Amino acid sequence: MSNEVFFEVRRQKSHYYLDAEEHQTVMDLKRMLAGITKVHSADTMELWKLDEEGGKTQLLHDNAQLSECGYSAQNAKVSFGNFI
């Protein structure tokens, strides 16, 4: 069974889709995002866990594994929603 997790990251008016493994850290996600957005330092980024309404609920700490933040292959799946 795969331990791959999927994320939609919102930054300003852009949305980025990332995939990672449960064992990777928040800093790994920040580095992926920095490479895509051409941000010079992933250290200055803040990643937040959001609720259903988009409100910030938890600041994700750099050295925490994604599984420690509550993300797993069971709850961070690819979702295609309602596309026309």
Side-chain angles (χ1 to χ4, degrees):
M1 186 157 126
S2 173
N3 61 352
E4 194 169 27
V5 291
F6 299 89
F7 296 90
E8 177 184 8
V9 178
R10 295 184 304 174
R11 181 177 182 265
Q12 298 170 353
K13 293 184 179 184
S14 298
H15 292 246
Y16 302 95
Y17 298 91
L18 304 172
D19 62 313
E21 300 289 324
E22 291 178 6
H23 65 84
Q24 288 184 278
T25 65
V26 172
M27 181 53 82
D28 293 333
L29 277 185
K30 287 181 173 185
R31 287 183 184 127
M32 286 183 224
L33 194 57
I36 295 168
T37 61
K38 308 296 186 224
V39 171
H40 295 289
S41 175
D43 295 328
T44 59
M45 286 184 196
E46 286 186 350
L47 291 183
W48 287 82
K49 192 172 196 175
L50 303 180
D51 60 19
E52 291 295 320
E53 291 79 37
K56 295 177 181 179
T57 60
Q58 176 186 358
L59 178 63
L60 302 178
H61 298 284
D62 291 346
N63 58 349
Q65 288 186 352
L66 299 175
S67 59
E68 295 170 344
C69 297
Y71 297 106
S72 70
Q74 289 74 37
N75 67 14
K77 299 177 183 179
V78 173
S79 174
F80 294 104
N82 297 323
F83 291 106
I84 297 175

